[in-house]
């Protein structure tokens, strides 16, 4: 990366949104620079679970084998429990793959970056973007960045700037991308890794919150989600509140924790925003959390970031390269935005519903009806995984059963 160097695409942020975007565009033959202010490999906040559509994309890109080779277990047993009702099963296989995966992020994110580098992407970690370059008409034409605390300021030029720099996106701020849909924060999440705690993927909803157990590389991640209105109280006694929530909402899992050992720090956040930002504009696009974020309770962020990467490459890729027409690129980016919204809006609305305590009794009634019917149970798992649209689950037959409860 040199001052005034030209690229077709500069991608800011090198995790689930950025690295696949860079990889797919480079595979189309474009000159791509991928920047991240973090050192790699490195960890980031996550409860790790990749639903089946995301797993299928990893396989499509030739990266799933590396996840498996890391020792990450296949998760093909899923248990949902809400009070006295529970269902267990697994989503329908995709591309012949049965099960989900939950690799540690320090492993997954490096696999994604390695995939980008193998595709010909130039990668610079510890490199922070601080400003934009625009032409006289306001079109984004490049960025200013700095490697390390003392590196020189470097300007790089590009036809398309991709902001994949997360929920607090610098690129979104610099381009002034407005939030076009927004809801209040709904939960706060705390999690830790445990050794000696065997589990399936387990999700419990009880009177005081949600608990998840997620098998990962050589450990089980156990998460507790509290309602957002408890965040100020919970944050000051996070570990006690975490263990109390597991005990009160998932007693059997709590007993397994007592027989195991916490193997890392407790991590948590109360800042899980819910929004769609405008997805693009003249010379720029947003991918992953930068453009769209939702509560992590439904574990969709990773797969949705992968999907956005693929949509952006499909739409914008053919309009990049020597002799490309900026107006055609802008139209393609607008098409990407429309495709993103069409693909993700229903799941967003589902997450907003799921993360609200007020709708718990409706969920209990739904789970009770589903637990009594094998076909509905399968459809439920496919819907939760994102293989079916929610509207397909709510058939007239299901609705009449719900009315009868
Ligand atoms: C507690 C929690 C649990 C979650 N659990 C799950 C789960 O189980 N399953 C799931 O699918 N999703 C989960 N998610 C969501 C998921 O982690 C995210 O949706 C996904 O990682 C988004 O990836 P991203 O690449 O868009 O952004 P990020 O992972 O935020 O990456 C952005 C990158 O941009 C870099 N960056 C930022 N600013 C700059 C700058 N100015 N210059 C250069 N680089 C910059 C950062 O260093 C970072 O590496 C969870 C999220 C949270 C908070």
């Amino acid at each position: 990366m040199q001052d005034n160097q030209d690229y077709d695409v500069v991608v800011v942020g090198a995790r689930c949104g950025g690295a696949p975007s860079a990889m797919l565009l480079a595979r189309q033959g474009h000159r791509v620079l991928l920047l991240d202010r973090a050192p790699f490999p490195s960890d980031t906040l996550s409860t790790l679970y990749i639903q089946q559509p995301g797993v299928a994309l990893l396989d499509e890109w030739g990266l799933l084998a590396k996840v498996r080779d890391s020792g990450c277990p296949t998760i093909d047993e899923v248990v949902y429990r809400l009070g006295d009702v529970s269902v267990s099963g697994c989503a329908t296989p995709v591309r012949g793959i049965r099960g989900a995966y939950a690799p540690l992020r320090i492993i997954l994110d490096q696999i994604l970056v390695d995939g980008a580098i193998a595709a010909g992407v130039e990668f610079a970690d510890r490199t922070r973007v601080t400003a934009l370059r625009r032409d006289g008409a306001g079109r984004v034409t490049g960025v200013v960045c700095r490697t390390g605390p003392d590196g020189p300021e470097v300007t790089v030029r590009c036809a398309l700037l991709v902001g994949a720099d997360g929920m607090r996106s610098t690129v979104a701020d610099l381009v002034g991308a407005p939030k076009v849909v927004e809801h209040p924060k709904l939960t706060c999440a705390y999690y830790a890794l445990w050794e000696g705690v065997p589990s399936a993927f387990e999700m419990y909803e009880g009177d005081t919150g949600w608990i998840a157990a997620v098998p990962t590389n050589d450990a089980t991640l156990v998460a507790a989600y509290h309602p957002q209105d408890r965040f100020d109280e919970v944050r000051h006694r996070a570990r006690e509140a975490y263990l109390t929530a597991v005990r009160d909402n998932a007693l059997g899992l709590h007993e397994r924790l007592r027989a195991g050992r916490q193997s890392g720090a407790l991590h948590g956040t109360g800042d899980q925003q819910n929004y769609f930002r405008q997805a693009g504009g003249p010379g720029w696009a947003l991918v992953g959390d930068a453009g769209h974020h939702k509560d992590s309770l439904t574990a969709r962020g990773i797969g949705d970031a992968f999907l956005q990467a693929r949509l952006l490459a499909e739409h914008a890729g053919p309009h990049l390269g020597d002799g490309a027409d900026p107006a055609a690129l802008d139209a393609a980016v607008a098409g990407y935005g429309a495709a993103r919204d069409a693909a993700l809006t229903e799941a967003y609305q589902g997450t907003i519903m799921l993360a609200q305590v007020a709708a718990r009794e409706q969920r209990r009634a739904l789970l009770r009806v589903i637990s009594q019917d094998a076909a509905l149970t399968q459809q439920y798992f496919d819907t939760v995984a994102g293989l079916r649209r929610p509207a397909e689950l709510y058939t007239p037959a299901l609705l009449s059963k719900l009315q009868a409860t």
Side-chain angles (χ1 to χ4, degrees):
M1 180 181 61
Q2 287 168 357
D3 202 27
N4 280 322
Q5 203 166 337
D6 275 310
Y7 296 89
D8 295 314
V9 187
V10 172
V11 181
V12 184
R15 297 190 188 271
C16 299
S21 299
M23 177 186 73
L24 295 173
L25 289 162
R27 284 182 181 177
Q28 294 175 1
H30 301 305
R31 292 161 298 167
V32 183
L33 174 65
L34 176 63
L35 306 173
D36 201 300
R37 68 183 176 195
F40 274 68
S42 59
D43 202 4
T44 189
L45 275 185
S46 182
T47 52
L48 311 176
Y49 191 69
I50 311 176
Q51 307 270 12
Q52 273 82 353
V55 172
L57 285 175
L58 283 173
D59 185 53
E60 182 182 306
W61 299 337
L63 302 178
L64 182 60
K66 293 184 193 307
V67 171
R68 287 180 171 141
D69 290 349
S70 76
C72 183
T74 307
I75 304 171
D76 58 6
E77 187 191 355
V78 178
V79 180
Y80 287 102
R81 178 179 288 275
L82 201 171
D84 58 339
V85 195
S86 83
V87 291
S88 62
C90 183
T92 303
V94 191
R95 291 174 64 89
I97 303 157
R98 181 177 161 80
Y101 290 84
L104 293 171
R105 292 296 298 269
I106 196 166
I107 293 173
L108 174 70
D109 294 5
Q110 189 62 41
I111 289 172
L112 298 172
V113 162
D114 288 344
I117 293 169
V121 170
E122 185 180 336
F123 174 56
D125 63 353
R126 302 169 200 266
T127 301
R128 175 188 302 267
V129 165
T130 56
L132 293 182
R133 286 289 176 258
R134 295 182 190 263
D135 66 14
R139 181 180 190 80
V140 173
T141 55
V143 287
V144 181
C145 52
R146 186 189 291 276
T147 299
D150 307 320
E153 210 167 63
V154 170
T155 297
V156 286
R157 293 195 295 248
C158 58
L160 181 65
L161 173 66
V162 178
D165 50 344
M167 192 176 70
R168 298 173 199 87
S169 168
T170 303
V171 172
D173 281 352
L174 292 172
V175 298
K179 286 180 176 157
V180 289
V181 173
E182 192 171 9
H183 288 83
K185 295 177 204 173
L186 295 169
T187 75
C188 49
Y190 288 86
Y191 65 88
L193 293 175
W194 294 77
E195 287 172 5
V197 178
S199 82
F201 177 83
E202 299 168 24
M203 183 83 182
Y204 303 86
E205 182 172 355
D207 290 339
T208 59
W210 298 261
I211 308 298
V214 187
T216 180
N217 301 74
D218 299 324
T220 295
L221 182 149
V222 175
Y225 284 72
H226 313 281
Q228 171 71 203
D229 60 14
R230 289 191 58 209
F231 181 54
D232 281 342
E233 165 226 337
V234 156
R235 64 196 298 196
H236 298 298
R237 48 178 202 91
R239 191 161 193 281
E240 182 203 337
Y242 166 76
L243 290 173
T244 303
V246 179
R247 185 197 65 201
D248 291 351
N249 299 293
L251 187 57
L253 177 61
H254 187 259
E255 280 163 13
R256 275 178 277 158
L257 294 194
R258 285 163 61 94
R261 189 176 73 83
Q262 187 178 329
S263 59
L266 181 70
H267 301 280
T269 177
D271 187 16
Q272 295 195 83
Q273 300 168 29
N274 298 297
Y275 62 78
F276 282 85
R277 285 193 176 109
Q278 183 180 322
W284 61 272
L286 301 177
V287 165
D289 287 359
H292 162 59
H293 192 271
K294 56 189 167 295
D295 198 287
S296 63
L297 194 58
T298 46
R300 290 291 191 92
I302 297 171
D304 287 354
F306 291 172
L307 178 67
Q308 290 170 70
R310 189 203 216 204
L311 290 174
L312 180 69
E314 280 171 4
H315 282 262
H319 302 281
L320 291 161
D322 292 341
D325 171 14
L329 176 62
D330 293 350
V333 167
Y336 154 71
R340 178 200 71 170
D341 295 353
L344 302 183
T345 295
E346 270 191 274
Y348 175 77
Q349 290 164 344
T351 300
I352 300 297
M353 278 295 291
L354 186 75
Q356 289 187 40
V357 174
R360 182 166 292 149
E361 283 316 309
Q362 285 165 262
R363 287 195 290 277
R364 193 196 301 266
L366 173 68
L367 210 60
R368 194 180 301 286
V369 169
I370 279 168
S371 69
Q372 293 158 1
D373 183 315
L376 277 176
T377 300
Q378 188 60 55
Q379 285 168 20
Y380 176 75
F381 280 112
D382 290 353
T383 306
V384 171
L387 298 175
R388 281 173 181 266
R389 297 177 50 227
E392 294 175 63
L393 176 67
Y394 285 91
T395 57
L398 174 63
L399 290 172
S400 71
K401 283 185 182 178
L402 282 173
Q403 274 163 5
T405 60

